[in-house]
């Protein structure tokens, strides 16, 4: 197995990685870092959870520190940014900023994160000095550009993160505007979890002779996760959820609903049943979202209820269970959702509720992941036809099925290799 010391990363980065306890690069890191250090463009097909943030952040930090912070262009005016990471959501922007800060802690480069929904003054002040690394969501970035607070004409490295999500969220025109403001001579990195034709076309317009790296194709993410589906009437879903969450095997559950209102209603009904739950979605104020995330991260709330958009990219380790209160109509979203558990090699359980109208979604999902999702037929609110497809369930709904070989004792949900 390759270690980070075999990659040509400078000592201050190696030191930071040791502090983070990273020893072995993930496949996207091992594949991308040497090419990125050499200045190549990259087309990365990878979702969050694969370590893609470090895959682009480490070589960026190294290249920027080789010429910076100011050495490359003494006398250049302020407000000029040397690199830009464009990402769809505030949560992702903040997490990427945290990663750059952690990996770059010994380098002294200047960075800032800008996103909408909060006052712009501190962001404008951060930009005023010019930055080595700017991490931004598209709307606020264009806003501040229009107000003359920054220029992108000296960008040396540009990263477009979660491109498929950007398009889903309707950012295509914003992306084009940002790209038009970049210099043609630059290094460009493009990441997307999926690569449908419109995304591939967008990438082709941004990248020059890119190295292409694809990791964990959608189907294989699903293989690490224990999945099960429970057939249930819509009116019984709340009661079923409350029942399942009584199981203390659930350390930290992320519950998905299709709509924002649904997320609120589910969180409220759980709270009434004295299950500590909070909803997170785009309607809430930034501080409310951050607080909800922090409570979840620290374990104060055991259950976070989210929509696909709100949860996308949330980087929280130790989510033991993902519960699909409603199945998504886009099958890829199912894979994104269940991928929130089972991070960094840990095991995870994904439980999906499926009512009669969602059967078609389930079929699409099973086609995509090329697996049958086992049915739990005997639960208190079963619709009665679950037995049509016999389930392989043993034990509780929320507990892992007995593994074929002994597991590490005590540590629930962590698939540790047996010692010996
Ligand atoms: P990402 O796909 O960038 O969202 O990263 C997923 C998670 O894996 C984050 O919590 C990272 O801190 C963690 N991570 C990334 N690279 C490594 C590595 N080489 N070793 C251990 N953890 C890592």
């Amino acid at each position: 197995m390759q270690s980070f010391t075999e990659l040509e990363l400078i000592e201050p980065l190696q030191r930071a990685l040791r502090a983070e306890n990273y020893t072995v690069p993930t496949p996207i890191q091992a594949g991308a870092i040497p090419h990125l250090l050499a200045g190549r463009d990259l087309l990365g097909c990878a979702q969050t959870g694969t370590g893609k943030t470090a895959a682009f952040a480490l070589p960026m930090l190294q290249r920027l520190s080789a010429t910076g912070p100011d050495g490359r262009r003494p006398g250049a005016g302020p407000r000029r940014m040397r690199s830009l990471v464009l990402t769809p959501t505030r949560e992702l922007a903040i997490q990427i900023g945290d990663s750059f800060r952690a990996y770059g802690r010994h380098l002294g480069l200047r960075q800032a994160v800008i996103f909408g929904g909060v006052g712009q003054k501190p962001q404008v002040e951060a930009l005023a000095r010019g930055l080595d690394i700017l991490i931004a969501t598209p709307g606020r970035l264009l806003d501040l550009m229009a107000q003359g607070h920054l220029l992108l004409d000296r960008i040396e490295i540009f990263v477009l993160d979660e491109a498929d999500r950007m398009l889903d969220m309707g950012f295509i025109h914003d992306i084009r505007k940002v790209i038009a403001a970049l210099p043609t001579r630059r290094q460009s990195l493009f990441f997307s979890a999926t690569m449908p034709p419109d995304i591939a076309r967008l990438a082709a317009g941004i990248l020059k002779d890119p190295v292409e790296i694809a990791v964990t194709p959608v189907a294989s993410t699903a293989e690490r996760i224990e999945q099960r589906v429970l057939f249930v009437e819509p009116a019984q879903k709340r009661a079923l959820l409350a029942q399942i969450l009584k199981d203390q095997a659930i350390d930290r559950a992320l519950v998905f609903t299709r709509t924002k209102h649904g997320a609120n209603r589910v969180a409220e009904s759980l709270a009434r049943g004295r299950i500590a739950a909070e909803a997170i979605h785009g309607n809430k104020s930034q501080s409310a979202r951050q607080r909800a995330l922090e409570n979840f991260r620290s374990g104060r709330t055991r259950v976070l209820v989210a929509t696909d958009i709100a949860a996308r990219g949330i980087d929280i380790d130790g989510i033991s269970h993902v519960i699909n209160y409603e199945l998504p109509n886009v099958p890829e979203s199912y894979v994104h959702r269940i991928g929130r558990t089972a991070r960094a090699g840990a095991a995870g359980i994904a439980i999906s509720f499926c009512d009669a109208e969602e059967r078609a979604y389930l079929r699409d999902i099973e086609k995509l992941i090329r697996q049958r999702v086992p049915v739990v037929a005997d639960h208190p609110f079963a619709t009665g036809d679950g037995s049509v497809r016999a389930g392989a369930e043993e034990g509780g709904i929320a507990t892992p099925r007995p593994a074929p070989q002994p597991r590490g004792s005590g540590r629930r949900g962590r698939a540790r290799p047996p010692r010996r």
Side-chain angles (χ1 to χ4, degrees), residues 89-301:
T89 68
R90 314 180 251 210
E91 280 77 19
L92 275 169
I94 291 168
Q95 283 164 16
I96 292 169
D98 290 346
S99 296
F100 270 98
R101 197 168 307 112
Y103 309 146
R105 73 184 78 164
H106 303 301
L107 294 177
L109 295 170
R110 283 171 313 193
Q111 68 172 75
V113 179
I114 64 176
F115 46 80
V118 295
Q120 71 171 44
K121 193 156 171 281
Q123 298 178 358
V124 170
E125 284 166 6
L127 293 171
R129 293 167 294 140
L131 294 169
D132 298 297
I133 301 148
L134 175 62
I135 299 137
T137 56
R140 177 57 61 93
L141 178 69
L142 288 169
D143 234 17
L144 295 179
M145 280 166 67
Q147 295 173 44
H149 290 301
L150 74 148
L151 290 168
L152 299 181
D153 61 343
R154 297 282 177 84
I155 290 287
E156 298 161 42
I157 309 174
F158 169 61
V159 181
L160 184 63
D161 185 37
E162 309 248 341
D164 49 356
R165 202 60 184 175
M166 294 262 203
L167 263 56
D168 283 355
M169 292 171 74
F171 283 140
I172 184 66
H173 297 296
D174 288 353
I175 293 173
R176 291 199 192 288
K177 274 190 218 158
V178 171
I179 290 163
L182 299 173
T184 43
R185 215 181 116 89
R186 58 170 199 255
Q187 183 181 21
S188 304
L189 286 61
F190 186 106
F191 290 92
S192 189
T194 55
M195 213 50 80
D198 56 338
I199 302 284
R201 269 196 303 277
L202 179 66
I206 295 174
L207 303 170
K208 285 197 186 109
D209 184 27
V211 177
E212 293 183 23
I213 297 180
V215 294
T216 49
V218 153
S220 71
T221 306
E223 280 159 18
R224 304 198 318 272
I225 297 160
E226 273 193 45
Q227 302 166 72
R228 44 202 76 165
V229 61
L230 282 64
F231 294 119
V232 57
E233 297 288 344
Q236 307 282 3
K237 284 186 175 182
R238 277 188 207 186
L240 178 59
L241 181 63
Q243 171 83 22
I244 288 173
L245 289 174
K246 280 188 194 143
D247 191 333
Q248 292 307 314
I250 300 180
D251 279 339
R252 198 171 288 167
L254 187 54
V255 176
F256 282 95
T257 60
R258 231 175 354 241
T259 66
K260 294 186 262 203
H261 297 300
N264 270 346
R265 280 197 301 269
V266 168
E268 281 162 16
S269 92
L270 288 174
R272 275 198 300 275
R274 281 204 287 271
I275 292 171
E278 282 189 85
I280 168 180
H281 59 64
N283 268 4
K284 293 209 161 181
S285 74
Q286 174 65 8
S287 59
R289 288 155 68 100
Q290 287 307 119
R291 208 164 41 239
L293 274 180
E294 206 33 62
N295 285 341
F296 187 55
R297 200 171 265 140
S298 67
R300 265 194 299 277
T301 43

Side-chain angles (χ1 to χ4, degrees), residues 299-318:
R300 265 194 299 277
T301 43
R302 202 169 132 242
V303 182
L304 192 67
V305 189
T307 56
D308 290 297
I309 292 204
R312 172 77 183 203
I314 288 179
D315 184 18
I316 293 178
D317 293 330

Side-chain angles (χ1 to χ4, degrees), residues 4 21-26 29 47-54 103 315 317 343:
F4 270 110
N21 280 322
Y22 292 8
T23 47
V24 179
T26 67
Q29 292 162 2
Q47 40 196 247
T48 44
T50 57
K52 75 177 157 74
T53 314
Y103 309 146
D315 184 18
D317 293 330
R343 303 291 291 258

